[in-house]
């Protein structure tokens, strides 16, 4: 057994202390606080030190990694027991176990498989199982309801958030990962409605299948794939399957459009980097606005504000339509000659920011119309004026993207920021277009 695998096992044992929280009550923080003190000031040699020490810890002569892990768990335990508005105990336990056992699952996979995707799958799978079992154990001790479907759904969200953060951070940043997962799960507990077994089963199967397909086809990097499937799971949990299908339409069609005649686009200098595999930044640049819209919709539903809910539905549709429209206009339009700068209509070389072709504009309008049609059928605000507003939002977002490309992209803004502003413009345009109708 390798030292990294043994260390992951040791951290999993420490994380299991979270299961004592229901019995300890307001003292739930005590076991983790004790571990943090021992790691920081007492254990500086011997078998325990060797078990938990990371490379940097040996240089410092102190178990900084274990101390940080235990302090993060201490903070979450305090939030779950002390304030008047408390973090649910189930969210606290799930956050700790997702990271502790996710790391163990990832290390087990790493020891046997030389595949990045499968190693991440090991992390997510182990974290999901541990967090689900942990929530069930807490519910059993406290006598609270134990909805397995909801616990599994929450655990899946937590595992995906942790896995995504692990692709961006170092091992020493585990405390930040744990705290972030805790707050995300707290928010989900507040905003998400009832989750049925069917909903959980289909949503997890859907995200696994689409995530693997995106990674295998090369339309997304590992981090980009995790970001995409996480957004889908959030959309299902806070909105419903209709919201996720609208997002899937963009991810799938946009990804395939990027790969369409990729070699030819690369020769022309208009192809996406990294063989067309979109990363986290690109996915978030195109989908951050839609994520905020889903969260806003769930919040207004919780408060019973119907008008606010309608506005967030339109914002969601408009932002996705803008992302689809912009992607298709760029990927299809880049295959044709004689692009013109949108601000002056003067001919420019292919690949010039802000350069458009009539073929690309038509493709963008078709993409926006497709999203509008899906929104009409699948989203709660299924009226003709709303669908028209989503179409307007998509075309407006595409146009804003081109205008920003012709004026400030490269000198003041990067591509991801431009994508974000374009989708924001699409969301706002859809809302404004709908209000007078």
């Amino acid at each position: 057994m390798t030292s990294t695998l043994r260390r992951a096992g040791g951290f999993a044992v420490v994380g299991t202390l979270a299961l004592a929280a229901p019995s300890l009550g307001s003292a739930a923080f005590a076991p983790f606080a004790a571990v943090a003190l021992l790691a920081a000031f007492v254990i500086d040699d011997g078998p325990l030190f060797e078990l938990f020490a990371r490379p940097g810890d040996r240089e410092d002569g102190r178990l900084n990694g274990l101390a940080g892990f235990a302090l993060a768990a201490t903070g979450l335990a305090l939030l779950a027991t002390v304030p008047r508005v408390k973090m649910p105990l189930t969210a606290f336990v799930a956050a700790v176990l997702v990271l502790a056992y996710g790391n163990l699952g990832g290390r087990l996979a790493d020891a046997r498989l030389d595949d990045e995707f499968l190693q991440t799958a090991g992390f997510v799978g182990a974290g999901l199982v541990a967090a689900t079992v942990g929530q069930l154990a807490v519910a059993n001790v406290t006598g609270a309801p134990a909805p397995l479907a909801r616990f599994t759904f929450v655990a899946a969200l937590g595992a995906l958030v942790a896995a995504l953060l692990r692709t961006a951070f170092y091992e020493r940043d585990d405390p930040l990962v744990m705290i972030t997962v805790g707050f995300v799960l707290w928010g989900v507990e507040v905003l998400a409605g009832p989750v049925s077994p069917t909903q959980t089963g289909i949503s997890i199967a859907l995200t696994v299948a689409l995530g693997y397909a995106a990674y295998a086809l090369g339309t997304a990097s590992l981090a980009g794939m995790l970001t995409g499937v996480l957004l889908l799971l959030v959309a299902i949990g806070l909105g419903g399957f209709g919201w996720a299908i609208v997002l899937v339409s963009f991810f799938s069609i946009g990804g395939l459009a990027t790969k369409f005649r990729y070699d030819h686009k690369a020769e022309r200098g208009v192809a996406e980097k990294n063989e067309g595999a979109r990363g986290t930044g690109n996915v978030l640049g195109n989908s951050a606005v839609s994520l905020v819209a889903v969260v806003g919709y769930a919040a207004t539903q919780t408060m019973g504000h119907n008008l606010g809910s309608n506005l967030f539905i339109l914002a969601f549709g408009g932002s996705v339509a803008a992302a689809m429209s912009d992607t298709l206009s760029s990927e299809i339009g880049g295959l044709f000659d004689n692009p013109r700068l949108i601000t002056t209509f003067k001919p420019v070389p292919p690949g010039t920011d802000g350069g458009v072709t009539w073929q690309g504009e038509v493709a963008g309008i078709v993409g926006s119309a497709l999203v509008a049609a899906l929104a009409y059928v699948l989203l709660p605000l299924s009226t003709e004026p709303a669908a028209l507003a989503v179409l307007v939002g998509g075309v407006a977002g595409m146009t804003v993207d081109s205008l920003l490309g012709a004026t400030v992209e490269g000198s003041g803004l990067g591509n991801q920021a431009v994508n974000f502003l374009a989708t924001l413009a699409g969301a706002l345009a859809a809302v404004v277009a709908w209000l007078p109708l």
Side-chain angles (χ1 to χ4, degrees), residues 272-289:
E272 282 283 333
K273 298 178 182 178
N274 302 319
E275 297 295 320
R278 297 179 181 268
T280 294
N282 190 285
V283 175
L284 285 179
N286 282 296
S287 304
V289 175

Side-chain angles (χ1 to χ4, degrees), residues 89-105:
L89 273 179
T90 51
F92 156 63
V93 171
V96 175
L97 296 183
V98 154
L99 183 61
Y101 282 88
N103 282 337
L104 178 59

Side-chain angles (χ1 to χ4, degrees), residues 171-369:
E171 191 177 29
R172 64 173 179 266
D173 299 317
D174 273 356
L176 178 59
V177 174
M178 185 192 299
I179 291 172
T180 303
V181 171
F183 276 96
V184 168
L185 297 187
W186 192 356
V188 170
E189 289 286 359
V190 172
L191 295 176
V195 180
S196 69
T198 301
Q199 186 178 10
T200 296
I202 293 177
S203 61
I204 291 178
L206 179 66
T207 53
V208 169
L210 292 175
Y212 178 75
Y215 185 70
L217 293 173
T219 59
S221 66
L222 178 63
M225 178 273 292
L226 287 170
T227 306
V229 296
L230 176 61
L231 290 174
L232 290 179
L233 210 57
V234 170
I236 293 170
L238 302 186
F241 283 112
W243 298 66
I245 293 172
V246 173
L247 267 182
V248 167
S249 71
F250 163 63
F251 289 148
S252 57
I253 295 174
L256 292 175
T258 301
K259 286 292 188 178
F260 179 65
R261 299 188 67 185
Y262 183 85
D263 292 340
H264 182 59
K265 285 185 281 192
E267 293 174 1
R268 294 169 61 86
V270 299
E272 282 283 333
K273 298 178 182 178
N274 302 319
E275 297 295 320
R278 297 179 181 268
T280 294
N282 190 285
V283 175
L284 285 179
N286 282 296
S287 304
V289 175
S290 62
L291 173 62
V292 172
V294 172
V295 174
Y297 169 78
T300 53
Q301 286 289 101
T302 301
M303 295 182 290
H305 293 168
N306 289 331
L307 176 59
S309 296
N310 291 342
L311 295 180
F312 280 116
I313 296 168
L314 285 161
F316 176 84
S319 67
V320 177
M324 176 80 88
S325 186
D326 171 52
T327 299
L328 292 187
S329 66
S330 299
E331 298 299 337
I332 302 302
L335 293 169
F336 295 90
D337 295 322
N338 304 317
R340 295 178 178 272
L341 197 66
I342 192 170
T343 52
T344 63
F345 295 104
K346 293 182 178 179
V348 292
T352 301
D353 291 331
V356 299
T357 63
W358 72 263
Q359 296 94 336
E361 295 296 290
V362 170
I365 294 171
V366 171
S368 184

Side-chain angles (χ1 to χ4, degrees), residues 150-165:
R150 184 182 181 87
F151 286 165
T152 304
F153 188 89
V154 168
L157 274 173
L160 285 171
V161 171
L164 176 59
L165 293 175

Side-chain angles (χ1 to χ4, degrees), residues 383-401:
T383 64
E384 287 82 358
L388 178 60
V390 170
L391 172 61
V392 170
V395 175
M398 173 183 67
T399 305
V400 167
D401 186 278

